[in-house]
Amino acid sequence: MEIAAYLLVNHIASDPQVSVSNAVMYAVLKPIVFGVFFVAMMGLFAHSVWRMFRLMALGQSRSNPIKDITDRIGAVIYLVFFQRKVVKEKFGWNHVIFFWGFLIITVGHIEFLVRGVVPSFSLSFLGDGLYHLILAGEDFMAFVVLFAVVAALFRRLVLRPSHIHYDSKEGYLILSLIAMVMITYFGAMGFAIAGKDPFVTSHAKAITVSNTVASFFVGMNVKLAYVLSEIFWWSHAVVLLTFLNVIPKSKHIHLLGAIPNIFLHKREKHKAALSRLDFEDENAESFGVGKVNDFSWKTLLDTYACTECGRCNKYCPATRTGKALNPQKLIHDIRGNLYLNGDKLLADRGLFEVTAAPADWEPEVPLIAETEEGRMKGVQTSREVLGACTNCGACVEACPVLIDHVDAIVDLRRYLTLTEGAVSAEWNNTFTNIERNYNPWGIGADKRADWAQSLGLRYWGGSEDAGKYEFLFWVGCAGSFDITAQKSVRALADILDAGGITYAILGQNEQCTGDPARRGGNEYLFDALAQTNVATLNDLGVKKIVTACPHCFNTLKNEYPAFGGDYEVLHHSQLISQLLEEGRLDVDVGTLSKVTFHDPCFLGRWNDETKAPRRSLAAVKRLQVVEMEDHGRKSLCCGAGGAQMWKEEEPGDVRVNIVRSQQAIDTGAQAVAVGCPFCKTMIGDGLKHHGNEDMPVLDIAEVVAGALTPGARAKIEAARQATTNNG
Ligand code: SF4
Ligand code: SF4
């Protein structure tokens, strides 16, 4: 009746043509009409959210329990409320404004919505101080959000960064709706003040922006101002509740998906490991993900969390070099496929039925198209897309809502490889080589230790050696068979001896860790290799491992624990850096004066080790280390990971190693330092392509070993002599 009283005092009394009954009727009808509209719009919204939930539930359940609750809450606070990943990028602050703006405006709008149904409601019971703070915050943020809309439009229309897709009209619709929410708010408030609405004018001092808007209407006919304020009030209500219903059906679905996705994210300690498949499961009819419901519900939740920020595309080496792979699109294609097929399945179910899709369900549209040209955009991915991923993790690293693109890609590759047998001839050949000779080159397994024969290295022969050697030196296939990589492992052997480390190699007992097989989707082969290697290492009593290959490092450290292999594993740069720090390695001036370091993805990004390689290089006297445009955790892949080393790159504009090696040349460095045998090959090939074959590519171990003092060299000789003497 508050409205009726206001109408009586301010308008009806001064205008005999407005009857008391009309005023009372409006006062009575407004809450009823708004109440019905509100309930209908909220019902529509709830229905959309319920559909999202039911579609997500079509996925497979995850066996791992949700632990580390406190850390998970911390991640939500850090990433959602503090937007820590978002602000690292240009324009990130604009998103922060949107996020906090909407959060604060939502609190203020509780009063707006409840007053629509119960006109006497007010949040003033919270106390004047807090109440006015809420009103002031709401008012101010609505103003700031309007600026953020203008900035976003400027970015879309003028700056147009290449990693964001501007073709869709949806982005403009969303920005228009946001702008209309704010404009109608100021219209409703400004005219209410001009129309002397007693409720709004009573706290007009708190809402300074609305007060300023009202000042433009000073002297306006009070009745007209009142009518306009009501028109804006209704417009605001309609736009606001329409926007709410656009959320689950647009890119703003992330407002619903991001927080649960971040809370349920793959914990840091497991992020670099892929999941193990259960080959003992006799009921399994296929392996990997061939249908959208083969994904876990968590991967389907990932697709709801995407903000379409395009950061994954910006850093993806495949996207950057014009391949068909675009990680953001891949996530959206999975979601599109879920919607298209899932909706049809749900149509035959009761509204409240929430279960996984039946095992024999055949979705109408397959998830993976055979060719890129033949794929239905928006609902399918293709073999070419999946084949282009280097597993570099740049997408995962960049994603502000912790989406696991790589897990999804490898799950899909597993299906192609294990269930369909649809792998490239090159990968097939690689897998056969590994099966027969336990290395991807297919060189005789009996030749694995040939490189070490002239060096007089020690072999870890049995469990009794566990007391003799501190470290197992895991050489890896490249170090064992590739001539370029052999230079790196020889240099590392020198450093270990110079540093007084007791170590041995496995010789022919070492087999490929299985990384190329796993990343190429041949989980079965990886499983067999992992079990054999873990059995060997455990039988020998190995506790500490050092390796010069980041792929072996990652597999041994992060993936073998799922097979019962728990070891302390160090990348050689970590051990070198440690030896230098402890004063156990004497280095002087080397032959180089200026190098740039290329971070291997499986060291820098997946295992967060960017300092040890730089510390090791910095120990060489008078050696300057300069950075490439992309470095550290944001480094650009060399193009070899994800089993790409073993096949031709998918079609694109340019090869990844050509872009990366150009970045190295641009630094003006004399040489490129690497920490991975595959990076060494790729960067070397890239430099040749640019006509810079004279620019050396050296492993960190080679750079450091090249600067060892005569005293350190004498220690190497002594260690080798001792081995020879001991037979
Ligand atoms: S892992 Fe690397 S190559 Fe694969 S999608 Fe992500 S960024 Fe692209
Ligand atoms: S997947 Fe992540 S990084 Fe890529 S567009 Fe979506 S939110 Fe951004």
Side-chain angles (χ1 to χ4, degrees), residues 55-72:
L55 286 169
M56 189 180 83
L58 296 178
Q60 305 299 306
S61 59
R62 296 197 317 173
S63 49
N64 41 333
I66 297 161
K67 294 184 192 154
D68 311 324
I69 302 292
T70 323
D71 289 352
R72 289 175 184 282

Side-chain angles (χ1 to χ4, degrees), residues 14 25 48 60 63 81 134 147 286 319 323 454 471 475 501 517 546 551 568 592 650 709:
S14 58
M25 194 181 296
S48 301
Q60 305 299 306
S63 49
F81 294 99
I134 292 171
F147 272 103
S286 69
T319 313
K323 313 290 185 303
S454 60
F471 277 94
V475 181
I501 295 285
V546 61
H551 297 269
E568 185 188 332
L592 300 168
E650 299 295 330
T709 60

Side-chain angles (χ1 to χ4, degrees), residues 312-313 315-319 325-328 330 385-386 388-396 405-406 409 413 601 605-606 637 644:
C312 50
N313 304 333
Y315 293 104
C316 174
T319 313
L325 169 61
N326 174 308
Q328 174 186 331
L330 174 79
V385 164
L386 301 172
C389 176
T390 68
N391 279 211
C392 72
C395 48
V396 178
H405 315 68
V406 176
I409 289 168
R413 279 186 179 177
C601 302
R605 198 153 30 233
W606 284 115
C637 178
Q644 296 294 327

